[in-house]
Each structure stands twice: as C-alpha cells, then as structure tokens.
Amino acid sequence: MFFEIDIVIRRGGRRISGDFKALSGLTALFGPSGAGKTSVLDAVAGLLRPERGRIAVNGEVLFDSDSAIDLPPEQRACGYVFQDGRLFPHRTVRQNLLFGWNLAPQDRRWLSPDEAISFLGIEQLMDRMAPTLSGGEAQRVAIGRALLSGPRCLLMDEPLASLDQARREEIMQVIERIRDELKLPILYVSHDRDEVDRLADQVIPIHPK
Amino acid sequence: MTILSPSEWQVVALSLRVSCLAILVTLPFAFALAWVLARRSFPGKVLLDALVHLPLVLPPVVTGWLLLIAFGANGPVGRLLADWFGVTLMFRWTGAALAAAVMALPLMVRAMRLSLESVDRRYESAARTLGAGKWRTFFEVTLPLASPGVVAGMVLGLARSLGEFGATVTFVSNIPGQTRTLPLAIYTGLQLPGNEVAVTRLALISVALSLGALVLSEWLARRSGHGRGGHVL
C-alpha cells in the first residue's frame, strides 16, 4: 500500500478520523464541505499534528504517536497544491517554481524545470510576478512548484475550486497527465462527484461527525 | 558642508549619530519583541506588552529619570557597566542614544508587530511543504513579506529619536558637543533673546531631516514592496 493512514485529528471541539490504505494512483478523499478532508491532507503534509495515529507514505513512517515520530513538513517530501495556490506574492513565477527545486537534494529531483515548464505550458509566464496571474495560470504554476520540489506524492486540496469551467477542464487534463504520465501518487480532496468520478482510481469517503 | 556653520554642523552630526546608533541597537530587540508579541502566547504577555509601550505613555521626563536611576553612577545597571566594562552613559552621547532608543522602542515594536501579524502564515506552510526549514522560511518568506513594516518601524523610530527631548535632557543633560542634539539646541537658543535667526535655521534643518527620512522610507518601501504598492505610513 502506498498511503497508510490511521489518524484521529482534533479540530476545535470535534474529532475527525481518517483511516484508510490506498495504492498509488489518484485517491480521492470525498465528502461534504466541513467533513475534515483538508485536515487529513494537512496532517499528511505535517502542517497539522494529529491527536494520535500513524501516517506512512510508500513505507516510510511520517508520523506515529506510539513511537513519537513526527517528521517536520520539510522532511516529508509531500508536494502540496493548495486550493488557493499560495504562490509567494513577492516572487516571480520563475522564483516560485525554483523555490522547492533549489532546496531538493540532487537525487530527489526527478523532474527538471524545463520539463515542468513545457509539461504545464507556462513558458510565457516565467517573469511575471505571482499576484498578476489569473486563477488558472496560478494553479498551473502552483502545481509546477510542487512537482519541482522532488515530491514522492502530491497532495491536492480542491485545486479546481476557484476556477471557471474552461480552466477546470485544462487543469483536470494536467492532473490526469500527472497521474498517467508522471505516475505520481496523488491524494486528492474534493466534494464534487463528477470530478471524483473522472479522476479517481480509488475513493475514500470522509464523513462529518 | 558650507551651508551649515561649524556649530550647527556639530549639532546635526551629533543628532544623526545619536539617532542612528539608537535605531541600530534597538532594531534587533524591537524585532524580537515584535515577533514574540505577534506570534507567541505565554503568561505575562500582557505585562510585557505594557512594559514595551510604557515610554509611549509616560511623561518623557519620567522615562529620563528612571534611566538616571538605573544607569546613573550609583544605579544598579550603571555601576555594573562601569565596573565590568568601564562604560558610563551619563552625560555622554551614548547616553543620549540610550534615551532615544528607549523612546523609539514602542513605535518600532508596534510597526513591526503589525506587519508580522499581517503576514499570511499560509505562505509559511507552503514554504515548509516545499522543503524549507523554519529559518529559511523566516528569511525567504516571512521577513520579505514583513519588510515594509520593518522599514516603517525604523523610520518612525528615527523620527522619534531625532525629536527626543525630555528623556534626553533629564538623563544626560544639555552638554554642547556631547548631548546637545537638535531639539536641545533649539531649546537652548530660545532661552536667550536675539537668537531668532539661529533658531530658525536649526528648525529648518530639523524639518529637512524629517522630510528626508520620510522620502527615503517611501522609496525603500516601494523597493522592498516589489511593486505591490507598499506604503510605510
């Protein structure tokens, strides 16, 4: 199993539990808004500490409350594509793309900047400042930035949420190519049934409690 | 400088020296305090916040008097500095810098704290997932995003120290060439009749210095804002 997750997260007054195993490919965490899907993703990335449990990706334990393992986010090598892009506003597209690439050890860089740029079709955006990009452009760059950080998997939090229909289709094709051509395992959060039906190899329902 | 007379130049140079030393020494402390107040929660935070702001609300004379008690020849800190390092601040320009620093601190902390609080921490999370450790995230994400506020804090602090009067005159007196900064020189000029021209000239220098600091800070903020239209004030 590629993702092995069995955690309990405390958020405000309630508990969210995520308990699933998933193969590589695209695994959708599917459920209504507010069910805690993003919290599960944050826990895998190391941005949120679960109350207890265990997270392993591709056999490596990232978090285990029983043996007091809790890797910081920078050591987890999980590329995160946020719903809102979160490109660094004080940097150009090029600097955003290279941020993680420059930090990744040589042997973890499985994609070169040139490959990523042509894969995503963002050649003409390179010298723009991040805040000047449209929603679809920003999301492409955010995906490129995550891919270039040398990740072993990709975490995507509703990456289509803020896009219009035409942009959604474009980004969906990009995600399919990441799944099929780059063969990068993806944990994908969504509340949209059509999106999940089209993209997901496996669906994990997350219920509100 | 031919426009300024030697005695005017002495006053201006001293003022700049005192203010620059005050700001440079205060900067790391102010930033650290701003960070702690913006990002940490701990018991006694309200008290620390109040202490930092005290010089803003106390009469400057009282601040000067407290400095005199602490750093004077018989004060606890003053004696320590004298015995261990052979340093005295009383009646020295370094003492004027200390008074200016204490008075500038609250303004600097406020500006920096506001800018740190306005930094969207989600960018920091993003940097962490991309492989940046805490320090790199601080230097490459947090600090650049907070930089307009850091610049603003320095300019406000500089303006405050250039204008410092009450705490300075109480703590280190009004000694020509040693502690007589611009405001003290203007005050001294006003004590005797017939000094209107000299006072006017000093006042104009004061206005020019303050304007210069404001223009410089706008320019710096625009540069560090990377065209995001960052304004200092």
Side-chain angles (χ1 to χ4, degrees), chain B residues 17-133:
Chain B
R17 194 153 43 128
V18 164
S19 300
C20 289
L21 179 71
I23 296 315
L24 289 180
V25 169
T26 313
L27 181 61
F29 294 105
F31 191 83
L33 283 167
W35 179 273
V36 166
L37 290 173
R39 291 290 176 92
R40 302 254 178 262
S41 58
F42 52 90
K45 180 171 170 178
V46 178
L47 191 66
L48 180 67
D49 199 6
L51 268 178
V52 166
H53 281 83
L54 208 52
L56 202 61
V57 289
L58 271 184
V61 175
V62 176
T63 305
W65 178 71
L66 290 171
L67 285 173
L68 199 57
I69 290 180
F71 289 86
N74 292 315
V77 190
R79 197 178 304 163
L80 221 130
L81 284 175
D83 291 352
W84 290 13
F85 306 104
V87 173
T88 37
L89 298 175
M90 284 264 287
F91 309 121
R92 304 284 167 84
W93 75 275
T94 44
L98 176 67
V102 169
M103 296 304 291
L105 184 74
L107 289 173
M108 294 176 72
V109 171
R110 281 176 78 82
M112 293 177 192
R113 177 187 183 170
L114 275 176
S115 71
L116 280 171
E117 281 171 348
S118 72
V119 170
D120 192 337
R121 303 196 61 178
R122 294 175 306 168
Y123 293 123
E124 298 173 0
S125 310
R128 297 293 297 280
T129 66
L130 291 165

Side-chain angles (χ1 to χ4, degrees), chain B residues 155-220:
Chain B
V155 172
L156 285 173
L158 189 73
R160 185 68 189 81
S161 6
L162 278 172
E164 217 309 294
F165 181 85
T168 309
V169 83
T170 311
F171 178 39
V172 291
S173 187
N174 182 0
I175 303 166
Q178 198 58 250
T179 66
R180 184 172 291 170
T181 54
L182 260 170
L184 273 68
I186 293 173
Y187 176 77
T188 310
L190 285 169
Q191 296 307 296
L192 296 167
N195 276 333
E196 288 76 15
V197 177
V199 166
T200 307
R201 285 176 61 96
L202 287 172
L204 285 176
I205 295 169
S206 213
V207 171
L209 277 179
S210 306
L211 265 181
L214 281 181
V215 170
L216 178 73
S217 71
E218 266 305 301
W219 180 74
L220 281 173

Side-chain angles (χ1 to χ4, degrees), chain A:
Chain A
M1 284 293 166
F2 191 84
F3 295 105
E4 296 168 69
I5 290 157
D6 178 8
I7 48 173
V8 176
I9 301 166
R10 205 189 183 111
R11 223 56 244 261
R14 61 202 190 95
R15 286 194 165 81
I16 299 155
S17 64
D19 181 5
F20 59 91
K21 290 182 166 50
L23 299 163
S24 47
L26 193 148
T27 305
L29 304 182
F30 177 68
S33 304
K37 306 182 295 291
T38 301
S39 296
V40 174
L41 223 52
D42 283 349
V44 175
L47 299 176
L48 182 86
R49 180 178 306 180
E51 195 173 59
R52 62 191 143 82
R54 185 173 179 278
I55 299 168
V57 173
N58 200 16
E60 185 178 342
V61 179
L62 305 183
F63 176 85
D64 188 344
S65 53
D66 288 341
S67 40
I69 295 172
D70 185 9
L71 291 187
E74 63 269 24
Q75 287 172 25
R76 294 195 178 197
C78 295
Y80 203 144
V81 178
F82 301 91
Q83 185 174 345
D84 49 0
R86 294 195 204 180
L87 295 179
F88 300 127
H90 59 302
R91 303 252 171 142
T92 62
V93 167
R94 185 187 315 276
Q95 290 169 327
N96 266 285
L97 284 172
L98 293 179
F99 187 92
W101 196 77
N102 285 329
L103 292 168
Q106 205 86 43
D107 57 353
R108 280 222 340 252
R109 293 173 179 168
W110 51 263
L111 189 71
S112 76
D114 287 341
E115 287 166 339
I117 291 161
S118 68
F119 179 83
L120 295 162
I122 50 176
E123 295 87 348
Q124 69 290 353
L125 303 177
M126 297 305 283
D127 294 314
R128 299 256 298 271
M129 291 303 289
T132 68
L133 301 179
S134 70
E137 291 169 338
Q139 208 51 279
R140 277 170 193 268
V141 176
I143 291 171
R145 183 176 70 168
L147 291 177
L148 282 171
S149 67
R152 56 182 142 208
C153 63
L154 212 53
L155 311 173
M156 303 186 107
D157 183 12
E158 310 221 11
L160 311 177
S162 56
L163 305 179
D164 60 48
Q165 198 51 50
R167 298 308 140 238
R168 285 168 74 94
E169 178 55 36
E170 285 176 28
I171 299 294
M172 255 202 266
Q173 286 171 14
V174 169
I175 294 169
E176 284 172 330
R177 289 177 55 212
I178 293 171
R179 182 191 65 192
D180 301 335
E181 292 173 31
L182 303 180
K183 302 219 180 298
L184 189 65
I186 301 173
L187 269 189
Y188 187 99
V189 158
S190 177
H191 65 267
D192 184 316
R193 171 53 78 183
D194 295 337
E195 212 174 293
V196 168
D197 284 345
R198 170 161 163 194
L199 294 173
D201 298 312
Q202 307 144 84
V203 178
I204 311 290
I206 303 276
H207 301 294
K209 286 211 173 131

